[in-house]
Amino acid sequence: LEFPRGVDSKECASYCLREHGIRFMACPKCDPFGSGDMQGLSTDRCARICFADLDRDILVDASKAFVSAFRSYIDVTNVCAGSAVASSEEHV
């Protein structure tokens, strides 16, 4: 998962866990090519979420909780102010 520019996935992960109980892996653990950026992709903006063992109902609820926590992070930090991603309902 790649967050919008300006989002630090470590900071976001810390906030989501502390404030919402939502846990995900951030940054370098998400880089399938090893360390470093690839064609403008910064792993500082990346997250890994695991849903391999979840049934559909739990996955739907977990996805909604993740989106809610991320939106809360954006609102609190104002990191994506003016971004279509931060304000658009259709992207999430």
Side-chain angles (χ1 to χ4, degrees):
L1 173 65
E2 182 182 4
F3 292 126
R5 291 189 194 286
V7 174
D8 181 300
S9 63
K10 286 182 183 178
E11 182 181 287
C12 182
S14 178
Y15 172 85
C16 288
L17 180 60
R18 181 180 66 252
E19 299 295 326
H20 298 274
I22 303 296
R23 181 182 310 243
F24 61 88
M25 291 182 359
C27 296
K29 293 180 181 178
C30 304
D31 188 353
F33 305 105
S35 62
D37 294 348
M38 184 177 143
Q39 297 179 336
L41 174 65
S42 171
T43 57
D44 290 344
R45 295 191 332 254
C46 292
R48 179 174 288 172
I49 55 176
C50 180
F51 50 84
D53 294 330
L54 298 179
D55 68 32
R56 185 179 187 284
D57 293 335
I58 293 173
L59 180 58
V60 168
D61 291 342
S63 297
K64 288 178 181 179
F66 177 81
V67 168
S68 177
F70 179 71
R71 285 186 174 154
S72 175
Y73 170 78
I74 295 300
D75 289 345
V76 167
T77 63
N78 204 28
V79 73
C80 293
S83 168
V85 175
S87 62
S88 175
E89 293 292 324
E90 66 190 54
H91 289 291
V92 183

